[in-house]
Amino acid sequence: QRQLVESGGGSVQAGGSLRLSCAASGRPFSSYAMGWFRQAPGKEREFVAAISWSGDRINYADSVKGRFTVSRDNFKNTVHLQMNSLKPEDTAVYYCAADPNRGLPSGSRWSWAYWGQGTQVTVSS
């Protein structure tokens, strides 16, 4: 049973927007840190954004600051990534991640315990 399920990916032109969602189930994810990573072809999986369980701590990769916004709804066990002003270099498979850390895990993928299967985002120029 998949515990983290991403949705909202797709194809968009540069400058456009997409909103990714991650539906969590099977564990008390409302008390977990949640994050987003992405992986482009031939590249390592990289950190995008993270939000603590309460939402009071948020972190972004420098490459997306000012363009992406992460949020969560603990009642619905969902986390979102609003992506604006998209660029071709944002093209990647985007993964939802979760960890029982009560703070914010590091940006290393190895600091996160649970993963979704990813959703493709393609930005054309």
Side-chain angles (χ1 to χ4, degrees):
Q1 182 180 2
R2 293 172 59 189
Q3 296 176 325
L4 298 174
V5 180
E6 302 94 337
S7 62
S11 297
V12 65
Q13 289 191 327
S17 298
L18 284 173
R19 186 176 189 238
L20 304 184
S21 296
C22 174
S25 63
R27 291 184 180 272
F29 287 108
S30 60
S31 64
Y32 287 17
M34 301 294 293
W36 290 94
F37 285 70
R38 66 188 182 186
Q39 188 166 14
K43 295 188 176 182
E44 294 290 320
R45 191 170 299 187
E46 65 174 4
F47 170 77
V48 175
I51 184 168
S52 63
W53 75 274
S54 63
D56 64 339
R57 278 170 282 184
I58 291 175
N59 194 23
Y60 295 101
D62 288 342
S63 59
V64 307
K65 280 181 181 177
R67 300 187 298 122
F68 290 12
T69 302
V70 62
S71 62
R72 66 188 298 161
D73 183 338
N74 285 342
F75 290 104
K76 295 182 178 179
N77 281 334
T78 56
V79 63
H80 303 286
L81 184 68
Q82 177 66 43
M83 306 186 295
N84 298 329
S85 302
L86 283 161
K87 305 175 181 180
E89 50 263 43
D90 294 317
T91 295
V93 176
Y94 282 71
Y95 296 91
C96 177
D99 194 85
N101 192 318
R102 297 287 285 182
L104 278 182
S106 78
S108 167
R109 62 177 294 184
W110 309 112
S111 298
W112 295 79
Y114 303 100
W115 293 88
Q117 293 195 343
T119 185
Q120 176 71 45
V121 171
T122 302
V123 185
S124 59
S125 57

